[in-house]
Amino acid sequence: MSDTIEKIKCLIIGSGPAGYTAAIYAARANMNPVLYQGMQPGGQLTTTNEVENFPGYVDGVTGPEMMVQLQSQAQRFGADIRDGWATKVDFSGDIHKVWINDKIELHCETVIISTGASAKYLNIASEQHYLKMGGGVSACAVCDGFFYRNQEVVIVGAGDSACEEAHYLSKLCSKVTMLVRSEKFRASKIMEARVRKTENITILMNHDTVDVLGDEQVVTAVKARNKTTGEVFDIPATGFFVAIGHQPNTEIFKDYLTLDETGYIVNTPGTSKTNVNGVFVAGDAADHVYRQAITAAGTGCMAALDAERYLASKD
């Protein structure tokens, strides 16, 4: 542990639209925010090739470019943006203690958590290749479905989110093939019924994804296996959507903050407040419903305003 303890008025853990927006508002309020970017600076949007649904970008913008702009905007107002990630916290007292990289100890008056959530993938080599290339693999139909208008796509998943995303894609794509890895859906009956009655959704139960095929640049098909018969076949597709869930990046907070059954931080409805005074949450670390850049940015604003009011109440 470091022999030197740094005192911070407002610490923001994690970047992305939530963290950077919180930093912009906190800096403008003279809260001298310090933001640690985490293990994936810029968050999930850095893996998104095109963002066309964020207001103000008439011609769209790449995810990494948007994050650079948000970071620069926060720094223009004086936010202190640093590399590193939180590895341990202690929220048991009035002073909130956070350790960075297991070395740097911070004592914070307020903490804004914007650590986000990570999409779960199948971790097939080809899936990861085309994900990094921006060539046809996605974990967000709402974000990327538009790019596959009138095309054929494949989606893997069995829960409510998978059904919701398949139904969303069915309105844009000529054909949606849904691969369900077991013999039954995990989704609610109403969501299962919705996809089953949608004409351009083909449901293949008890099927695995073997490989994602393409020309090294873009996806052209998905290789699937019938787990009952062993048959392996190719499904023509230009897009492969993975909807098998998200994992909120909240493990280090579990001993102090109230989490729901899947690990998302529970906030007081209509606010960014957690069960610990002076600790606030923004973005996908608390949002398992919307998971959009614009909603994350909105909650980042809320967290900074809530933190500012908390500090004012202590004066």
Side-chain angles (χ1 to χ4, degrees), residues 223-243:
K223 187 179 292 292
R225 179 176 61 242
N226 185 319
K227 294 169 69 175
T228 302
T229 66
E231 178 191 6
V232 176
F233 56 96
D234 295 347
I235 306 170
T238 53
F240 180 62
F241 289 84
V242 185

Side-chain angles (χ1 to χ4, degrees), residues 110-185:
T110 60
V111 176
I112 295 174
I113 297 167
S114 56
T115 49
S118 301
K120 296 179 182 178
Y121 290 96
L122 300 176
N123 290 320
I124 299 170
S126 55
E127 168 204 60
Q128 294 300 303
H129 169 77
Y130 289 108
L131 174 66
K132 293 173 183 175
M133 290 292 295
V137 174
S138 172
C140 181
V142 175
C143 308
D144 300 325
F146 178 84
F147 301 111
Y148 301 91
R149 291 182 73 90
N150 302 315
Q151 300 176 47
E152 297 185 9
V153 300
V154 171
I155 183 169
V156 58
D160 278 349
S161 293
C163 289
E164 186 174 336
E165 297 220 327
H167 189 256
Y168 178 87
L169 290 168
S170 73
K171 299 175 184 178
L172 301 170
C173 305
S174 59
K175 181 180 179 181
V176 179
T177 300
M178 192 171 188
L179 298 179
V180 179
R181 295 180 291 175
S182 63
E183 295 179 348
K184 61 182 180 179
F185 279 91

